């Protein structure tokens, strides 16, 4: 069987247990694994095997971060041409914490190098991203940007791309992360989240339309003056007005950032003004498995699950990693 000392199962069983554990609750995964093996498997065995895989995966991510930012080593360049453009979409997802009871926010990043049309004859053309890489975790303050950039350099070659666009919903930590750790990247504010926020604050549909038109037209200071008037009349909280002003001031340069990439010859299909890819992957990587009713996570347990769910998002990367680990 090729077992090494102290190895409690074969590489195939380890991989199957981890794959089932990433897709199903542990008790259900254990029943499925028991059917595969023809013997009773406890759900805690599945949990331990997944944790072991997650710890190893996270160690590889930390190694990539350390080599780039502590030792100053560039990732090995794979065969083939450098990507013309890499788009990275970043978002956060809130999970329920076990002890102490509360909430914690994980970071998820999805990068891709192209898009292809699924069916050119379809009435509504659907595009799929290609050259995709996903990384997710609950990293210590200040290290998220390093891990994300180092790992995406390995997986999609973001450090070699001629054009780099990073998009997000405008949460304060995202443009700061891009400015600190994505050199020469353009940050693009997601227009959908911008419009949703302005509608929520405006309250009135007509006022919301005016605010959106002013903001997209580069005149967000008019929104600031309109909010000040509402505050004086007692129709808007001063705190909400301050938060919205800070949001607009921080993200105003990013409203039409993709235009500068178009002017420099970047592929038009990748010069996006939205972040639909990350929204879908937040659901795939985290929500479907980790935000079900009654689910609470330890920080380490959530980190291991996120690492393996991100890997499972790419079947080719999953098989390649397990081939390396199981060798």
């Amino acid at each position: 069987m090729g077992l090494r000392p102290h190895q409690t199962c074969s590489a195939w069983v380890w991989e199957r247990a981890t794959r089932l554990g990433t897709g199903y609750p542990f008790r259900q995964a254990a029943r499925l694994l028991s059917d595969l093996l023809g013997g009773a498997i406890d759900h805690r065995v599945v949990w331990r095997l997944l944790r072991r895989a997650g710890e190893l995966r996270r160690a590889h991510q930390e190694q990539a971060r350390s080599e780039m930012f502590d030792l100053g080593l560039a990732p090995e360049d794979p065969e083939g041409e450098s990507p013309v453009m890499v788009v990275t979409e970043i978002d956060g997802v809130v999970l329920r914490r076990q002890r102490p009871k509360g909430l914690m926010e994980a970071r998820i990043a999805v990068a891709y190098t192209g898009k292809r049309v699924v069916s050119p004859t379809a009435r509504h053309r659907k595009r799929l991203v290609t050259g995709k890489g996903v990384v997710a975790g609950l990293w210590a303050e200040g290290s998220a940007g390093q891990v994300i950039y180092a790992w995406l350099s390995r997986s999609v070659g973001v450090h070699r791309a001629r054009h780099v666009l990073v998009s997000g919903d405008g949460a304060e930590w995202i443009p700061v992360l891009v400015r600190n750790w994505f050199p020469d990247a353009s940050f693009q504010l997601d227009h959908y989240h911008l419009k949703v926020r302005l509608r929520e604050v405006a309250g009135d549909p007509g006022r919301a339309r005016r605010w959106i038109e002013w903001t997209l037209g580069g005149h967000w200071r008019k929104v600031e003056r309109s909010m000040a008037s509402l505050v004086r009349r007692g129709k808007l909280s001063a705190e909400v007005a301050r938060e919205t002003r800070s949001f607009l001031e921080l993200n105003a340069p990013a409203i039409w950032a993709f235009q500068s990439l178009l002017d420099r010859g970047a592929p038009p299909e990748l010069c996006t003004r939205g972040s639909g890819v990350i929204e879908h992957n937040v659901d795939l990587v985290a929500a479907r498995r980790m935000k079900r009713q009654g689910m609470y996570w330890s920080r380490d347990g959530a980190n291991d699950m996120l690492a393996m769910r991100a890997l499972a998002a790419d079947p080719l990367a999953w098989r390649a990693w397990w081939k390396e680990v199981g060798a």
Side-chain angles (χ1 to χ4, degrees), residues 2 6 17 24 56 59 103 120 139 142 155 172 175 178 187 201 212-214 217-218 229 237 251 308 322:
H6 310 294
Y24 302 95
L56 184 57
L103 302 175
W139 297 290
S155 58
E172 183 178 355
V178 175
F187 174 66
V201 177
I212 291 171
E213 181 180 350
W214 291 340
S229 175
S237 162
N251 292 288
M308 300 315 296
W322 280 102

Side-chain angles (χ1 to χ4, degrees), residues 69-90:
F69 292 99
D70 296 339
L71 303 179
L73 301 177
E76 294 183 7
D77 290 340
E79 296 181 1
E81 297 181 357
S82 300
V84 175
M85 182 170 177
V86 172
V87 180
T88 303
E89 301 184 12
I90 303 175

Side-chain angles (χ1 to χ4, degrees), residues 56-76 135 139 143 145-155:
L56 184 57
R57 181 69 174 177
R58 289 198 289 132
H60 289 175
Q61 293 176 355
E62 173 56 25
Q63 181 182 1
R65 186 209 66 78
S66 178
E67 288 179 354
M68 175 173 282
F69 292 99
D70 296 339
L71 303 179
L73 301 177
E76 294 183 7
V135 59
W139 297 290
S143 66
Q146 292 185 359
V147 176
I148 290 172
Y149 187 80
W151 195 254
L152 293 183
S153 295
R154 282 193 176 190
S155 58

Side-chain angles (χ1 to χ4, degrees), residues 7 19 41 66 89 159 181 193 219 274 292 307 320:
Q7 186 175 343
R19 189 68 184 88
I41 302 295
S66 178
E89 301 184 12
H159 66 300
W181 304 113
H193 285 92
H219 306 292
R292 298 184 183 187

Side-chain angles (χ1 to χ4, degrees), residues 115-132:
K115 289 183 178 181
R116 65 175 179 86
V117 178
V118 177
S119 174
T121 59
R123 182 178 179 183
H124 301 287
R125 292 188 179 181
K126 181 180 179 181
R127 293 177 180 269
L128 293 180
V129 298
T130 58
K132 175 181 167 184

Side-chain angles (χ1 to χ4, degrees), residues 247-295:
F247 172 84
L248 292 173
E249 188 170 30
L250 177 65
N251 292 288
I255 293 175
W256 298 104
F258 72 92
Q259 289 285 4
S260 63
L261 292 176
L262 281 174
D263 296 339
R264 296 201 297 268
E269 68 274 12
L270 295 181
C271 293
T272 178
R273 69 188 71 180
S275 58
V277 175
I278 188 62
E279 295 294 336
H280 180 55
N281 278 272
V282 164
D283 180 50
L284 288 177
V285 173
R288 294 188 185 184
R289 175 64 179 88
M290 304 179 70
K291 291 175 70 70
R292 298 184 183 187
Q293 185 176 5
M295 284 191 173

